[in-house]
């Protein structure tokens, strides 16, 4: 599916007619630079396990999700935030171009994500729900408040509960939304949607814990992005140490294995494989 998604992404990179010399290159550059495609994979996996005939239609939503995620990375890397020079093994946009271009490309990908959903080949009812979920968890009730807290509390120690609140919002909710959006497209029941969203929140925390461990233990070349830069941040490694973060990772893996028992058998097998491929290697 990810191979098909990459083809779909390259065929649908956003562009605009203008006499700006390099805006279109910048607009597609970070999207086309690769990445884990973790969120599109989750969405497409849910659809494929329950309603495989809808996978082609769901590509539009998977790309919208990746656009919104990529906008958040572009803005996260800006000098006003993390001031990072590398992302996905590629120079960040404010380095390749300038800060204004990076800000505007981020803005463009954010809004274009919702344009993609609005024009996707799905029913209006489904599209309204998808827009609502993405706006909620990618907006002030999720990623935005998480990022605001992350930046505000640099160099200030917070509690473990506060750290989890930060990362549930900044990272986990968009991952949970990816699964929920797949469930909405596939027409799963509201009870199944609830179970898969709760699973996604724990999966998102696991994703963040592993990312913190990577930052503390891998080189920038190995990770494809700057590492060793979390010294000012409230990370699981900074609060618990590498050993403590690994224990938290193990705890979350155990909880996720229990959570899969609440899901449809086909979907459970799919998610178990994703967990094995991404977090147990």
């Amino acid at each position: 599916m990810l191979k098909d998604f990459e083809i779909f992404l390259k065929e649908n990179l956003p562009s605009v007619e203008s006499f700006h010399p390099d805006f279109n290159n910048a607009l597609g550059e970070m999207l086309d630079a690769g990445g884990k495609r973790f969120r599109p994979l989750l969405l497409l996996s849910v659809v494929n396990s329950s309603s495989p005939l809808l996978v082609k239609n769901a590509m539009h939503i998977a790309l919208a999700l990746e656009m919104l995620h990529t906008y958040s990375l572009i803005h996260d890397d800006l000098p006003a935030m993390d001031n990072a020079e590398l992302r996905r093994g590629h120079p960040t946009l404010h380095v390749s171009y300038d800060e204004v271009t990076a800000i505007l490309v981020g803005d463009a990908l954010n809004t274009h994500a919702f344009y993609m959903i609005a024009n996707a080949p799905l029913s209006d009812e489904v599209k309204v729900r998808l827009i609502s979920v993405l706006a909620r968890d990618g907006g002030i009730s999720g990623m935005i408040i998480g990022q605001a807290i992350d930046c505000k509390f640099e160099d200030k120690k917070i509690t473990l509960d506060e750290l989890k609140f930060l990362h549930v919002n900044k990272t986990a909710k968009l991952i949970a939304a990816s699964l929920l959006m797949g469930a909405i497209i596939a027409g799963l029941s509201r009870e199944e949607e609830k179970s898969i969203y709760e699973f996604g929140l724990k999966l998102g925390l696991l994703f963040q814990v592993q990312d913190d461990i990577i930052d503390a233990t891998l080189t920038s070349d190995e990770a494809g992005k700057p590492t060793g830069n979390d010294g000012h941040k409230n990370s699981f490694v900074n609060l618990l140490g590498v050993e403590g973060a690994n224990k938290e990772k193990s705890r979350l893996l155990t909880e996720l294995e229990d959570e899969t028992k609440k899901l449809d058998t086909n979907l459970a097998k799919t998610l178990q494989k994703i967990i094995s491929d991404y977090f147990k290697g």
Side-chain angles (χ1 to χ4, degrees):
M1 275 189 307
L2 282 185
K3 288 182 180 178
D4 290 339
F5 176 74
E6 288 296 335
I7 293 170
F8 184 84
L9 181 149
K10 290 179 186 299
E11 291 176 345
N12 291 277
L13 287 173
S15 63
V16 61
E17 291 187 13
S18 80
F19 57 87
H20 194 293
D22 46 31
F23 189 76
N24 276 337
N25 288 336
L27 193 55
E29 191 167 305
M30 202 53 65
L31 267 176
D32 202 25
K36 300 182 184 74
R37 311 299 194 204
F38 189 63
R39 293 152 191 82
L41 174 63
L42 292 176
L43 185 151
L44 294 171
S45 294
V46 175
V47 177
N48 188 57
S49 68
S50 303
S51 301
L53 293 177
L54 288 173
V55 167
K56 185 176 180 180
N57 299 40
M59 288 285 176
H60 298 259
I61 313 304
L63 179 53
L65 187 57
E66 186 68 5
M67 283 180 178
L68 189 125
H69 172 57
T70 303
Y71 122 74
S72 75
L73 300 181
I74 292 168
H75 280 193
D76 193 38
D77 290 336
L78 287 168
M81 295 197 194
D82 286 356
N83 196 24
E85 296 185 355
L86 191 69
R87 172 69 70 173
R88 294 173 170 172
H90 190 280
T92 49
L93 292 188
H94 68 270
V95 171
S96 296
Y97 301 95
D98 52 57
E99 193 171 353
V100 170
T101 300
I103 291 169
L104 291 174
V105 166
D107 291 344
L109 293 179
N110 182 353
T111 52
H112 202 68
F114 294 98
Y115 181 83
M116 287 286 298
I117 297 175
N119 289 279
L122 296 165
S123 74
D124 289 346
E125 181 182 356
V126 166
K127 290 190 288 189
V128 168
R129 289 199 65 205
L130 294 173
I131 288 169
S132 178
V133 169
L134 188 58
R136 179 193 69 191
D137 287 351
I140 60 171
S141 296
M143 187 173 65
I144 299 301
I145 188 60
Q147 177 73 347
I149 291 170
D150 192 29
C151 293
K152 183 68 174 178
F153 287 87
E154 283 189 5
D155 294 315
K156 298 175 185 176
K157 189 172 182 179
I158 60 177
T159 68
L160 182 58
D161 284 345
E162 289 170 335
L163 182 69
K164 288 181 179 178
F165 179 91
L166 187 169
H167 287 303
V168 161
N169 282 280
K170 182 181 177 184
T171 302
K173 283 188 177 178
L174 195 59
I175 286 173
S178 306
L179 291 166
L180 176 55
M181 291 167 75
I184 291 169
I185 295 167
L188 300 187
S189 70
R190 293 300 176 110
E191 184 178 345
E192 289 172 309
E193 287 179 8
K194 184 175 183 293
S195 294
I196 203 168
Y197 187 77
E198 290 174 353
F199 177 93
L201 291 176
K202 291 181 180 178
L203 182 64
L205 270 183
L206 173 63
F207 187 96
Q208 184 61 51
V209 172
Q210 175 151 297
D211 197 58
D212 289 351
I213 293 169
I214 287 170
D215 185 83
T217 60
L218 296 186
T219 66
S220 296
D221 287 341
E222 291 169 328
K225 62 180 182 178
T227 58
N229 283 345
D230 280 353
H232 298 285
K233 297 280 186 178
N234 278 286
S235 74
F236 284 93
V237 169
N238 287 344
L239 191 62
L240 304 175
V242 173
E243 184 178 349
N246 274 308
K247 286 181 180 177
E248 182 69 11
K249 177 181 174 180
S250 297
R251 184 187 68 78
L252 286 166
L253 281 169
T254 300
E255 286 189 9
L256 284 167
E257 287 176 6
D258 291 338
E259 291 286 336
T260 57
K261 297 172 185 175
K262 301 177 185 177
L263 304 173
D264 171 80
T265 303
N266 287 339
L267 179 56
K269 287 181 180 177
T270 299
L271 293 177
Q272 284 166 352
K273 185 178 188 309
I274 290 172
I275 290 171
S276 179
D277 290 346
Y278 277 81
F279 302 105
K280 293 183 178 179

